[in-house]
Amino acid sequence: NGLSDVTVILYDMDDDGNWVDSIQSGGDGRFKFNELSAGNYKIGFLDNSQNEYCLAYYCVSAADRAVTDFSAADTLALVRGGNLTLDDVKLSQKKGVVSGHVTNAEGASLEGIEVSLYSIDEDGDSSHSVETDALGNYTFDNVAPGTYKVGFHDIKQRNYGSSYYKNANTLADANVISVTPGNVCSGIDGQLKGRCTISGRVVDVNNQPIEGICVQYDPEHYDSGYSNHWVLTDANGEYSIPNVDSGKTIVSFSDWVA
C-alpha cells in the first residue's frame, strides 16, 4: 500500500538545489506536480505522517529507488511540454534511536531529568527534549540521521548541576554521537552532581572586613578570565554564592560593582 501524507519536495538544481515546491501524497501514495518549468530537478520524500522514515531522495539505480544522501540522488531533466513518470519509491530506511540512563553521583536513578538532544548539524540548537522516567531511563525515538550532543538538566530544581555526555560540564566539551538510519545509540548515560556553594570573607591588610567588594565567578569562562556572575560582600566582608555547578571556576575580587 502507498504512504499517504508524505511531503514530496521538488528541488531546482538550476537554482542551487533550492526547495521550490512541495505537495502531499494521496491516499494511495501517488503524487503529481503540474505546470512545471523546463529544467533540472531532484525529488525528496519527507515522512511527516508516521515520522519514522528518513528523508529520502529519488534514485532509480538504488535499492527501493531511494537514497538518504542528496548528492547521490538523480537529477531529472524536464523539457518544455514534457512529462516525467517515476518508478515507485519505497521508504525503507528508518530513523534512529538514542537512549540512556541518568543517575546522581551516588548512582541513584533520577526521575524527571530533562534530556536535550542538540543537533550539531544545526549549529547546536536543541532539537527536542524528553524527561527520564521513574527508573531514570529516557528514549528519543525517530531521530533523524546526523551528529548530536546530549545534555542533562535538573528542571525540578533539586540542586543538581547540568551535565553533558560524556561526563562533561559544558556543551562545548560534550562527546559527539552519530545517528545513522535504523541505528540504536544506547548507553548514552548521564550523571548529575550536586551543586556547590562558594563562600568566604574579604579583609584588608589590617585584617578588617571590607563591605561592598565585588566577588565574581564564572564556570563557563574560567579559562578566559571573563565573568558575568557576581555578589557583593556584606558588612562583615563575607559573601556566599549558592547553587554553583561543580567543575572548574575562577573567583576574583574587585573594589567596584560590575
Side-chain angles (χ1 to χ4, degrees):
N1 295 328
L3 287 177
S4 62
D5 297 322
V6 171
T7 301
V8 184
I9 308 163
L10 195 68
Y11 302 92
D12 187 349
M13 301 309 295
D14 298 321
D15 186 25
D16 297 324
N18 287 320
W19 178 336
V20 292
D21 199 2
S22 65
I23 56 175
Q24 301 298 118
S25 62
D28 58 358
R30 298 186 180 279
F31 65 92
K32 183 179 182 180
F33 288 100
N34 294 310
E35 300 180 358
L36 294 179
S37 300
N40 296 293
Y41 299 93
K42 289 189 178 185
I43 298 179
F45 305 92
L46 179 62
D47 174 26
N48 282 321
S49 57
Q50 300 183 45
N51 195 34
E52 61 177 312
Y53 295 103
C54 299
L55 174 61
Y57 307 96
Y58 184 75
C59 179
V60 70
S61 63
D64 302 322
R65 287 160 297 282
V67 292
T68 57
D69 181 0
F70 184 78
S71 65
D74 288 343
T75 297
L76 307 174
L78 179 64
V79 299
R80 182 182 179 89
N83 293 294
L84 286 175
T85 300
L86 307 185
D87 293 339
D88 289 348
V89 173
K90 180 179 179 181
L91 299 184
S92 58
Q93 296 205 58
K94 293 192 174 183
K95 296 180 179 179
V97 174
V98 176
S99 64
H101 182 233
V102 182
T103 63
N104 61 17
E106 289 72 41
S109 299
L110 294 178
E111 180 182 5
I113 296 298
E114 181 181 82
V115 185
S116 298
L117 195 63
Y118 301 90
S119 174
I120 304 304
D121 302 322
E122 298 176 5
D123 298 324
D125 290 337
S126 178
S127 50
H128 52 288
S129 299
V130 296
E131 289 188 21
T132 55
D133 61 20
L135 298 177
N137 298 319
Y138 75 90
T139 300
F140 288 99
D141 293 313
N142 300 324
V143 179
T147 54
Y148 298 88
K149 292 184 177 183
V150 180
F152 310 95
H153 311 287
D154 176 22
I155 58 174
K156 306 295 184 182
Q157 298 182 347
R158 290 166 292 184
N159 206 34
Y160 290 108
S162 292
S163 177
Y164 300 86
Y165 183 79
K166 186 176 184 181
N167 296 323
N169 291 320
T170 66
L171 180 61
D173 293 331
N175 281 21
V176 175
I177 62 172
S178 296
V179 177
T180 55
N183 184 37
V184 177
C185 296
S186 59
I188 310 301
D189 301 334
Q191 183 184 84
L192 299 188
K193 300 176 182 178
R195 288 193 172 102
C196 309
T197 296
I198 299 175
S199 62
R201 186 167 181 260
V202 180
V203 298
D204 61 18
V205 294
N206 298 313
N207 205 35
Q208 297 300 306
I210 307 176
E211 182 179 4
I213 294 297
C214 179
V215 183
Q216 296 178 298
Y217 84 101
D218 193 334
E220 293 287 339
H221 304 92
Y222 71 91
D223 57 348
S224 67
Y226 171 80
S227 176
N228 59 5
H229 303 282
W230 56 275
V231 296
L232 297 177
T233 56
D234 61 19
N236 295 318
E238 297 177 343
Y239 69 91
S240 180
I241 309 172
N243 299 324
V244 179
D245 287 351
S246 60
K248 295 179 180 180
T249 190
I250 59 171
V251 179
S252 62
F253 307 89
S254 305
D255 190 13
W256 54 276
V257 178

